[in-house]
């Protein structure tokens, strides 16, 4: 602990620790750039369509396979649909898949991890379950899941939402295990920390204990898993598209757009470039954000 | 203690700064001291007073960045260690100056057996063959009082207890017959009974090998027991320096005095209430322009707030950095 | 250590049986019909006959037990009997693929060499490149090299292989003149027999592109791990001790820090090995390295349930096995565990 | 002083307390042994007194302190706190008992949740056990902060913004929140700098005086224990080897281990230091999972006798108010009897039966 | 390829070294009776041969037989119930043994054996017996008159296999003969030297092949795997392969690749037609079990021919071809566009898009948008159709285009696509099969094998409605029913002679077209590519594309 920190904040008003995290985060140039870019992408993708209001499904056959023009800054595809609009629509799906799949994986991972770490009795069984999932060959499982549930889900939620739910769930339930392991490890260590013992000596009930003492303190590994999870989910979705098991062909996602465009790589290089860049840069920015967050959430680095 | 002898190590005006987010930590400010051959110099001071940083600056062991040794000279063997080339510095480290660190649990490499770790400097600095080094390593382990040395050379650090690991660390530091041994709180992590063993061992070894030792600690009791001379650090500076007995008999700096009073004893009269030093240690945010102890000092005066006292000689090889003269009970006239 | 290993082996057995059950049931439930791929011109009665001939009539639990028996008993015994003459081949019919009507295991064994060669080599290359990158990046944290390494590995991590693969083909096969040294085949020839230096050269050349694509990903991931692990260890006290002993920087880093940093990394590397056997579905598809990955996807598409079940189960065994190896390696590298 | 407490009521009675942590090894993770962290400890604490518990690292002090508060499910023995036997009450029924007994921890950094404000930390026990309104709680927290000498202004800050001494004050305030009668202080000053230690100790003493608190003060700093404790218990390898009123213990330690321990404390007076008689122990503390046969201390004892390696010494009152477990203080007949008995019957059962001496 | 013929390329067998063929879907077996897939059938056709084959023009030519039996030459009995084939002299199996009529008889037994799961069983439909009259003569007897008797043992799908090799593989034992299935002995120009399922096949020239100097190639590498684009690239751009099959990729990409100058794209048109079926029954989910069945009643508006006609007129078939098929497709207005004799011209008006006409037509019929939402109503029901097809990029493009065109004439389409394996899987439990047709419009391709459309046209008989009673089997997807049509089916079954049959078939085709229950879109062909150095390629969609591989050769530099 640098003594400086004591006095520097002597008169500061109650200061949420997230401000400190933010202060540290700000010093990581890559992370800040990553965050800016990520926000930019999210805005572009969600707010963009309000400004660039061409319908991504509108077909203008006369204008097909065009390069960038003022009318179509990103060019058009083989049906003359505007690539910029499709990139935005695709981004919405890809980013939502990334975020929700990651959210699901984190939820499951944290739940299992915390329960296993906290309650000794179910630790064994939950960790066996985790091992089991780790030992399951995931890609085949993913493929089988998609095969199994694609129809029922599209039937009940419509093809897009159905597949969305399916892919999110598929990615989510096949990627929670590392988080669970890390969280469990942390919870086990936390349980030995004196403040948990202190809470126990006060008589804090298990539920409160988890919410108040355990969860907030495993936030940092969770946040880091989160950023990596977004990236992996986006990539997994695109791989599924490649194998023909992702979203239907008429439903743009970045992975799908990239895959569709690889055939045209020589003729219309811009068509691979946009989705390729979007995926890579998003993943990159998210990774940098993760790096920055890891540093910012680490009290040792934050200099507490 | 051979008084006027040529010092083996002479540190003048050492200054070390850490660059941290949004500023600097001036951890060591203008520190000067010397070490005579065969002498055991105790360094005391509270946590964060710059003891470790001072010693690590001598041998360039601080990670840089963030550390930056800004100035001063460290004369050893006729050379300024702050200026010599990397190779000479490496030869000095381990070869001529041994180092023992505070935490015996983490200071040994867990994946190599201790034999290898002791032999490493032997082969590097003394050019020994593997066989010779092994023989010497065994001698060293025996020297620091580890029984069954032959066998234990093959053991890994985790198979040793804390006290034994610290002995291994000492063995490593002594491996190349260094002229100077720097021990940075080698017993702080240990129990009193083990600490007593190590202190005993150190005293014996020092007498036997005749090397100069710098012993960092924040336990005044330890210093009283083994040091010839004591340096007291506070806020990145040396505030007092004196031969041991002189210091305990006749503490000059108000910090030293307060420190001696706060410590309860196992023997002698029991105080009804402990003395305390009010306030907090200083922030080392900038190069000091005032006395670092002024806020907690009971004899502080106006002057202390805008002038940093020099170390004034008070005779008996004793100096203290205070404007107040404890002997006369009046401000120093400088 | 030994009891630990045996204990792990023993717990692996119920895990595997449970996994096999899950795999079997999941795939059995999967929709899709082995005749769905057949042309529409084939009439429904014929389709039904085909289904019957594939043994789809039995109840699930019977088929599961039969399959399990074939997996763990008949097939190994069959292979033993092929190599040792005093064991006779089992009486049961072998596990037959619905699509090829050939023994599943034979097909898998036929596919393994090319997968192992390409994916395995890519893994080795990837790891060999990754380790130095990770070490240097960590040692020179925040240097230009580190930043560039981070950037490149993240790019490697974020570019799907179906994109980088096609890009490579266009660069090195299409755009490159045919007689250039830098021209590499885009189609992997699985029939090539290495019986001469020339064919060896061919083999090397045809492995270049897929290996590059795959190695990029491995490098990206392992170098991140290596870097993180090195960073963890560079701040440890024993590093300062080594420096204080007067060791040169190379000894400090390559001997003291590296060995410690390798402990977690080695296990990560070991855990990545089952994936080699799993093949690289997308890369194999792009370069037509018809290995295990391609077999899996083709079988999935053809609803060849026995093939998919077997492949999946083999992966599961490999994953469990290499988990074990990783744990043992951990013990070997880390004396604290070895002497437990 | 000793007589004062003698007449006072016993707030805590610990009898033959055992806390063993099982070790599982082998192929089937069978229970193959125990870490005998606390192995048959008995003591009483009188209302308003401070019982010091000293010993080397790993000897079981913390485990003992935690076991007394039933933070562990103990292996054996009985614990009576304020009249209730809590030795085998299930954890969830203990909740109502918790307010009477609290704990202050060793590491002021580790014992405070870094993600909670000071207000939230001190308020937590109130949330759990009282139904005060928000405003009342807040008032109470501020009052507590005043009591422990923390500036009220800091209530919204996080622990990392405090110095070690201040953090320990937060921990003390939390322990005080429910007006406990009994506080276990588990090395509350070990992690603090010398100059800060005194502040905390003074605070603890002030609070004791003001509220009549009873402390179990765990420490390995013998000089600090001497300052604060009324009576002192010395632990070695899971057992109490000596328990005596402070003055007697420091003036005339009976057990060889106590003697060695006291002599090992560095004396910050060079004159005294040089004249002191020193007993330097050799060797290390044996592992609590595999304690030696006979007396636990026999492997390092400078005054070891043959009998020590065979028979575990009885823990008994050898002088009024002074308990010790050492064969040197057994009269010859007892020793002979025990030798004979041990050959005939199980050593363990014998040693367990003779702990009740208070 | 005409030039190739002209240069009279000849010489000794095996002179041209290796031929590299890429089928991006690899064959899983070389026994076409165990797998009905194109890739298996075509790869096996290098080895196994049949009595007669269809050339690139759809003409039936004798292959193993000495000539084609007809009623005229007495090979086919007058009552059309039997056909007698005579084998060429001196045909040898590649192992050197002679081919006899017994092999043909065995082949029939093999495919019809109980429990064998023969994929080509339909080729032997109606075959009562196959007898070896003598070593060289085979007599096939049918259980009823067969005006077109050239199915069994004709074409790539039902080749003759060697009795000696497959003797122990009858019925349930079929899959156990792995070596035979993976390396059948044949009479064809090549013999299998190595077979790796789903990966690669290696062939070498058959030393016992009956034609001197053929094949020109010593060995064939038949590689599988990958995707269509990369297969095309390997022939057209990198020159690594000589022949690539089934290049269903974007036409512009394909033609760009072709412009690299290394290879040529070739197309063969057969009978495949991409079409829309308009459901004539009511698929409304409200009907429960009666959904899309006779019991559910007719469709609320699709039985109205004006609407169907307008929907057809609104479509620009040329553009669909241009975007999705390129050289591999032609706009068509017939469900039966080939062989040429059967192709009607009566409906060709639909070839040009006429949105205005369609609008006028609807307006005239009083089917107008009465509530101003841009969607017309028919008797109060808004013209909103659910439009389903299998998941496939080209189809989704077509769906999007058609949806847009229909919206221009006031018909709204809700698009849906279903995984091909489910859509075509025929699982009676799944609601999404093309047979169940729980939608208003569905789109897919169908065709018939061989050159005779009799069975194909019979698909639209009233009795062919898929229904719950028939486990939803049946081939009349749109539930078309017209007694006059059924009468024509019977008439066709009793008529011999191409011209006479063609008249009836055209009439049937037109009847279907004018019902507007089926809207043909694109006549699809097989698209392949071969290297410019490969001569003699004449691809056929009526038989194996590789039917004349014995004549292929390397064009000299
Ligand atoms: C003699 C051989 C074959 C013929 C005559 C044939 C004909 C057809 C026809 C008419 C369709 C119509 C469905 C459609 O695309 O609308 C179709 C679809 C399909 N065929 Fe084939 N086929 C043959 C071989 C194969 C083989 C060998 C495979 C696969 C391994 C295959 C896989 C498929 C698939 C997956 C579809 C549906 C995919 C799509 O939507 O395009 N077919 N085939
Ligand atoms: N890496 C660093 N970055 C920033 N500040 C540092 C760093 N290392 C040390 N310091 C600061 O330097 C000052 C002196 O530290 P030093 O380690 O020398 O204290 P010490 O006297 O050895 O204390 P202790 O008794 O706790 O070992 C402290 O204020 C500390 O905060
Ligand atoms: N949960 C546990 N499981 C197993 N062994 C334990 C556990 N807790 C403590 N021990 C063991 O019990 C013994 C006593 O530990 P304890 O923490 O009580 O010692 P201590 O006297 O408080 O030491 P210190 O002064 O270091 O705090 C030690 O050997 C320790 O390793
Ligand atoms: Mg220090
Ligand atoms: Mg403790």
């Amino acid at each position: 602990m640098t003594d400086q920190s004591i006095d520097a904040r002597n008169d500061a008003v109650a200061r949420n620790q997230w401000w400190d995290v933010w202060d540290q985060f700000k010093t990581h140039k890559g992370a800040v750039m990553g965050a800016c870019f990520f926000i930019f992408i999210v805005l572009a993708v969600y707010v963009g369509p309000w400004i660039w209001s061409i319908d991504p499904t509108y077909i203008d056959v006369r204008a097909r396979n065009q390069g960038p023009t003022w009318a179509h800054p990103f060019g058009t595809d083989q049906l003359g649909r505007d690539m910029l609009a499709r990139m935005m629509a695709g981004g919405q799906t890809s980013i939502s898949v990334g975020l929700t799949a990651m959210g699901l994986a984190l939820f499951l991972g944290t739940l299992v991890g915390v329960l296993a770490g906290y309650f000794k009795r179910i630790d064994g069984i939950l960790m066996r379950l985790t091992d089991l999932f780790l030992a399951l060959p995931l890609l085949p499982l993913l493929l089988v899941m998609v095969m199994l549930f694609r129809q029922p889900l599209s039937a009940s939620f419509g093809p897009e939402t159905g597949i969305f739910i399916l892919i999110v769930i598929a990615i989510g339930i096949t990627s929670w295990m590392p988080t669970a392991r890390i969280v469990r490890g942390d919870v086990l260590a936390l349980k030995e920390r004196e403040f948990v013992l202190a809470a126990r000596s006060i008589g804090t009930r298990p539920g409160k204990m988890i919410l108040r003492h355990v969860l907030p303190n495993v936030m940092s590994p969770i946040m880091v898993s989160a950023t990596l999870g977004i990236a992996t989910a986006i990539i997994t979705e695109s791989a599924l598209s490649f194998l023909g098991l992702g979203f239907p062909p008429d439903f743009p996602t970045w992975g799908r757009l990239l895959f569709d465009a690889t055939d045209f790589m020589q003729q219309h290089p811009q068509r691979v470039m946009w989705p390729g860049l979007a995926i890579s840069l998003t993943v990159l920015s998210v990774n940098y954000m993760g790096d920055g967050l890891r540093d910012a959430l680490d009290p040792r680095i934050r200099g507490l | 203690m051979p008084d006027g002898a040529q010092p083996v190590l002479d540190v003048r005006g050492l200054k070390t700064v850490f660059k941290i987010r949004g500023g600097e930590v001036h951890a060591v400010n203008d520190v000067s001291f010397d070490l005579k051959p065969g002498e055991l110099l105790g360094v005391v001071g509270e946590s964060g007073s710059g003891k470790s940083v001072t010693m690590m600056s001598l041998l360039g062991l601080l990670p840089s960045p963030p550390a930056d040794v800004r100035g001063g000279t460290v004369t050893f063997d006729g050379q300024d260690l702050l200026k010599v080339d990397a190779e000479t510095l490496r030869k000095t480290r381990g070869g001529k100056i041994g180092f023992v660190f505070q935490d015996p649990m983490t200071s040994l490499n867990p994946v190599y057996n201790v034999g290898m770790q002791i032999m490493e400097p032997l082969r590097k600095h003394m050019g020994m063959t593997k066989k010779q080094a092994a023989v010497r390593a065994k001698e060293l382990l025996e020297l620091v009082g580890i029984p069954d040395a032959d066998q234990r050379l093959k053991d890994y650090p985790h198979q040793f207890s804390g006290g034994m690991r610290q002995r291994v660390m000492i063995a490593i530091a002594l491996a190349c017959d260094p002229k100077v041994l720097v021990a940075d709180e080698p017993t702080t992590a240990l129990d009193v009974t083990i600490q007593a063993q190590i202190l005993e061992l150190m005293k014996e070894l020092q007498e036997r090998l005749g090397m100069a030792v710098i012993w960092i600690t924040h336990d005044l009791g330890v210093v009283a027991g083994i040091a010839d001379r004591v340096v007291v650090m506070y806020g990145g500076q040396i505030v007092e320096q004196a031969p041991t007995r002189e210091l305990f008999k006749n503490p000059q700096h108000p910090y030293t005095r307060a420190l001696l009073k706060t410590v309860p004893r196992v023997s002698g009269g029991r105080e009804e209430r402990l003395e305390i030093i009010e306030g907090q240690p200083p922030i080392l945010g900038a190069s000091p322009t005032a006395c670092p102890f002024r806020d907690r000092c009971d004899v502080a005066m106006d002057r202390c707030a805008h002038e940093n006292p020099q170390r004034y000689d008070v005779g008996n090889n004793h100096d203290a950095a205070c404007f107040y003269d404890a002997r006369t009970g009046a401000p120093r006239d400088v | 250590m030994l009891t630990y290993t045996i204990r792990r082996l023993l717990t692996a057995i119920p895990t595997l049986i449970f996994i096999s059950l899950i795999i079997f049931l999941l795939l059995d439930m999967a929709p899709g019909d082995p005749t769905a791929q057949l042309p529409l011109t084939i009439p429904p009665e014929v389709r039904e006959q085909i289904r019957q001939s594939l043994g789809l009539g039995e109840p699930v639990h019977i088929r599961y037990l039969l399959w399990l028996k074939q997996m763990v008993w008949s097939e190994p015994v069959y292979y033993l009997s092929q190599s040792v003459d005093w064991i006779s081949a089992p009486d049961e019919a072998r596990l037959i693929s619905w699509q090829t009507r050939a023994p599943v295991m034979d097909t898998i064994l036929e596919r393994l060499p090319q997968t192992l060669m390409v994916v395995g080599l890519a893994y080795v290359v990837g790891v060999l490149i990754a380790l130095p990158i990770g070490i240097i990046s960590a040692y020179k944290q925040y240097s230009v090299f580190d930043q560039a390494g981070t950037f490149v590995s993240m790019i490697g991590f974020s570019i799907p292989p179906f994109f980088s693969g096609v890009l490579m083909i266009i660069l090195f096969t299409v755009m490159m003149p045919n007689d250039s040294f830098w021209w590499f085949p885009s189609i992997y020839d699985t029939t090539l027999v290495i019986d001469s230096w020339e064919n060896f050269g061919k083999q090397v050349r045809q492995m270049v592109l897929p290996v590059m694509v795959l190695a990029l990903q491995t490098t990206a991931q392992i170098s991140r791990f290596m870097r993180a692990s090195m960073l963890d260890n560079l701040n440890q006290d024993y590093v300062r001790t080594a420096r204080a002993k007067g060791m040169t920087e190379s000894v400090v880093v390559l001997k003291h820090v590296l060995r410690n940093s390798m402990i977690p990394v080695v296990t990560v590397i070991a855990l990545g090995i089952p994936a080699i056997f799993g093949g690289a579905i997308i890369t194999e598809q792009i370069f037509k390295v018809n290995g295990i990955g391609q077999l899996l996807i083709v079988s999935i598409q053809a609803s060849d349930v026995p093939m998919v079940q077997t492949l999946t189960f083999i992966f599961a065994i490999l994953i469990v096995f290499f988990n074990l190896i990783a744990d043992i390696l951990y013990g070997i590298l880390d004396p604290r565990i070895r002497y437990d | 002083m000793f007589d004062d407490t003698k007449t006072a009521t016993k707030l805590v009675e610990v009898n033959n307390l055992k806390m063993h942590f099982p070790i599982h090894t082998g192929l089937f993770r069978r229970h193959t042994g125990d870490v005998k962290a606390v192995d048959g400890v008995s003591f009483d604490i009188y209302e308003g007194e401070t019982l010091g518990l000293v010993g080397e690292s790993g000897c079981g002090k913390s485990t003992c302190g935690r076991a007394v508060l039933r933070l562990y499910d103990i292996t054996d023995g009985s614990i009576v706190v304020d009249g209730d036997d809590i030795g085998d009450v299930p954890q969830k029924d203990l909740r109502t008992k918790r307010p009477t007994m609290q704990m202050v921890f060793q590491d002021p950094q580790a014992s405070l949740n870094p993600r909670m404000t000071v207000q939230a930390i001190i308020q937590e026990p109130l949330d759990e056990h009282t139904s005060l309104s928000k405003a009342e709680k807040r008032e109470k927290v501020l009052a507590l902060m005043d009591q422990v000498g923390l500036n009220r202004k800091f209530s919204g800050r996080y622990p990392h913004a405090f110095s070690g001494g201040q953090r320990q004050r937060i921990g003390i305030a939390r322990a005080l929140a429910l007006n406990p009668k009994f506080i276990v202080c588990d090395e509350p000053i070990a992690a603090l700098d010398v100059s800060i230690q005194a502040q905390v100790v003074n605070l603890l003493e002030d609070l004791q005086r003001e509220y009549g608190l009873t402390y179990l003060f765990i420490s390995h700093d013998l000089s600090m224990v001497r300052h604060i404790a009324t009576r002192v218990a010395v632990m070695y390898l899971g057992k109490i080897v000596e328990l005596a009123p402070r003055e007697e213990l420091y003036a005339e330690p009976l057990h060889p281990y106590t003697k060695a321990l006291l002599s090992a404390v560095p004396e910050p007076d060079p004159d005294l230091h040089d004249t002191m008689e020193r007993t330097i122990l050799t060797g290390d503390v044996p592992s609590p999972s595999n304690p030696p046969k006979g007396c636990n201390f026999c492997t390092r004892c400078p005054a070891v006798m043959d009998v020590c390696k065979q028979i575990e010494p009885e823990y008994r009152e050898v002088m009024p108010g002074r308990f010790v477990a050492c064969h040197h203080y057994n009269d010859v007949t007892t020793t002979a009897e025990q030798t004979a008995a041990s050959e005939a019957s199980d050593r363990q059962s014998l040693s367990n039966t003779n702990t009740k001496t208070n | 390829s005409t030039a190739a013929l002209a240069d009279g390329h000849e010489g000794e067998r095996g002179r041209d070294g290796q031929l590299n063929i890429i089928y991006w879907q690899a064959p899983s077996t070389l026994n076409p009776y165990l797998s009905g897939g194109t890739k298996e059938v075509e790869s096996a056709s290098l080895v196994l041969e049949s009595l007669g084959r269809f050339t690139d023009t759809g003409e039936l030519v004798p292959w193993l037989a000495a000539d084609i039996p007809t009623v005229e030459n007495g090979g086919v009995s007058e009552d059309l119930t039997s056909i007698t084939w005579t084998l060429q002299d001196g045909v040898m199996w590649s192992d050197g043994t002679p081919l006899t009529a017994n092999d043909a008889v065995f082949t029939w037994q093999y495919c019809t054996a109980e429990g064998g799961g023969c994929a080509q069983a339909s080729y032997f439909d109606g075959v009562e017996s196959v007898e070896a009259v003598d070593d060289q003569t085979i007599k096939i007897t049918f259980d009823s008159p067969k005006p077109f008797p050239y199915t069994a043992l004709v074409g790539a799908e039902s080749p003759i296999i060697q009795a000696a090799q497959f003797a122990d593989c009858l019925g349930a034992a079929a899959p156990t003969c792995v070596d035979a299935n993976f390396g059948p002995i044949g009479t064809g120009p090549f013999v299998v030297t190595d077979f790796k399922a789903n990966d690669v096949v290696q062939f070498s020239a058959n030393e016992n092949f009956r034609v001197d100097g053929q094949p020109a190639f010593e060995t064939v590498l038949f590689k599988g795997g990958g995707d269509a684009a990369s297969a095309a690239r390997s022939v057209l751009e990198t020159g690594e392969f000589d022949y690539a099959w089934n290049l269903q990729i974007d036409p512009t990409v394909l033609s760009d690749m072709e412009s690299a100058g290394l290879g040529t794209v070739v197309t063969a048109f057969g009978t495949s037609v991409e079409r829309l079926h308009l459901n004539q029954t009511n698929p409304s989910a409200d009907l429960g079990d009666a959904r899309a069945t006779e019991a559910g009643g007719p469709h609320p508006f699709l039985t109205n021919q004006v609407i169907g006609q307008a929907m057809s007129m609104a479509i620009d078939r040329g553009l669909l071809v241009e975007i999705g098929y390129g050289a591999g497709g032609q706009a068509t207005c017939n469900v039966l566009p080939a062989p040429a004799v059967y192709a009607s011209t009566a409906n060709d008006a639909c070839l040009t898009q006429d949105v205005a006409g369609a609008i006028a037509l609807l307006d005239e019929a009083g089917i107008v948008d009465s509530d101003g939402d841009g969607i017309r109503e028919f008797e109060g029901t808004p013209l909103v159709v659910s439009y389903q097809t299998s998941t496939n990029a080209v189809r989704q493009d077509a769906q999007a285009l058609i949806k847009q065109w229909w919206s221009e004439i006031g018909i709204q389409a809700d698009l849906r696509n279903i995984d091909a394996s489910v859509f075509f899987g025929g699982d009676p439990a799944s609601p999404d099969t093309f047979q169940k047709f729980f939608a208003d419009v569905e789109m897919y391709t169908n065709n018939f094998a061989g050159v005779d459309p009799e069975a194909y046209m019979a698909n639209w008989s009233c009795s062919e409605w898929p229904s719950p009673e028939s486990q939803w089997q049946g081939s009349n997807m749109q539930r078309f029913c017209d007694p006059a049509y059924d009468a024509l089916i019977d008439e066709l079954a009793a008529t011999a002679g191409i011209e006479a049959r063609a008249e009836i078939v055209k009439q049937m085709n037109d009847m279907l077209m004018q019902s507007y229950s089926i809207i043909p879109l694109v006549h699809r062909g097989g698209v392949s590519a071969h290297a410019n150095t490969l001569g003699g390629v004449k691809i056929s969609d009526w038989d194996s594309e590789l039917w004349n591989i014995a004549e292929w050769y390397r064009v000299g530099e």
Side-chain angles (χ1 to χ4, degrees), chain C residues 101 110-111 186 188 288 290, chain E residues 196-197 199 223-224 230 240:
Chain C
R101 310 289 182 97
E110 186 181 282
R111 291 307 183 86
S186 69
Y188 187 91
K288 280 134 233 129
N290 293 334
Chain E
K196 291 193 170 121
D199 177 10
K223 172 82 181 178
S230 64
E240 289 165 276

Side-chain angles (χ1 to χ4, degrees), chain D residues 134-219:
Chain D
K134 236 182 179 159
E136 284 170 327
K137 280 188 207 159
R138 176 150 181 81
E139 212 26 64
K140 171 97 188 167
V141 168
L142 293 179
L144 282 165
M145 288 180 73
D146 290 345
Q147 273 174 28
V148 297
L150 281 170
N151 194 328
R152 281 172 168 241
K153 273 202 316 208
F154 298 165
S155 68
R157 290 204 198 170
Y158 287 85
H160 69 251
F162 291 89
S163 69
Q166 289 174 318
R167 285 184 201 152
Q168 200 54 289
R169 287 168 197 262
I170 301 173
I172 294 172
R174 171 176 58 189
L176 288 178
L178 295 169
N179 306 321
K181 292 186 171 163
F182 173 52
I183 298 181
V184 173
C185 305
D186 187 1
E187 314 207 29
I189 51 169
L192 304 177
D193 226 48
V194 211
S195 62
I196 316 287
Q197 283 183 355
Q199 299 177 1
V200 173
V201 167
N202 283 349
L203 172 67
L204 284 173
E205 282 183 326
D206 293 346
L207 292 169
Q208 180 169 45
R209 211 166 300 131
E210 204 169 327
Y211 301 104
L213 297 172
T214 306
Y215 293 141
L216 175 61
F217 189 91
I218 299 172
S219 177

Side-chain angles (χ1 to χ4, degrees), chain E residues 309 311-318 331-334 345-354 513 516 519-521:
Chain E
Q309 189 178 357
M311 285 166 92
S312 174
M313 285 164 77
I315 294 170
D316 183 349
R317 292 171 170 76
T332 184
C333 296
N334 293 311
T345 50
N347 314 296
D348 286 355
C350 83
L351 287 177
T352 38
Q353 184 189 25
D354 185 4
M513 293 303 96
Y516 289 103
I519 301 176
L521 301 172

Side-chain angles (χ1 to χ4, degrees), chain D residues 12 34 175 198 210 267 303 316 352:
Chain D
V12 179
D34 292 296
E210 204 169 327
E267 171 55 55
R316 58 202 207 104
N352 282 350

Side-chain angles (χ1 to χ4, degrees), chain D residues 21 35 37 56-64 72 106 187 220 288:
Chain D
F21 298 102
V35 177
E56 285 176 277
S57 180
C59 71
K61 306 182 297 291
S62 300
T63 309
C64 180
Y72 293 130
Q106 168 167 9
E187 314 207 29
H220 57 235

Side-chain angles (χ1 to χ4, degrees), chain B residues 74-87:
Chain B
V74 177
T75 315
F76 177 80
D77 249 2
Q79 282 176 304
D80 183 355
L81 288 183
L82 298 181
K83 301 216 167 62
V84 297
D85 59 286
E87 188 50 40

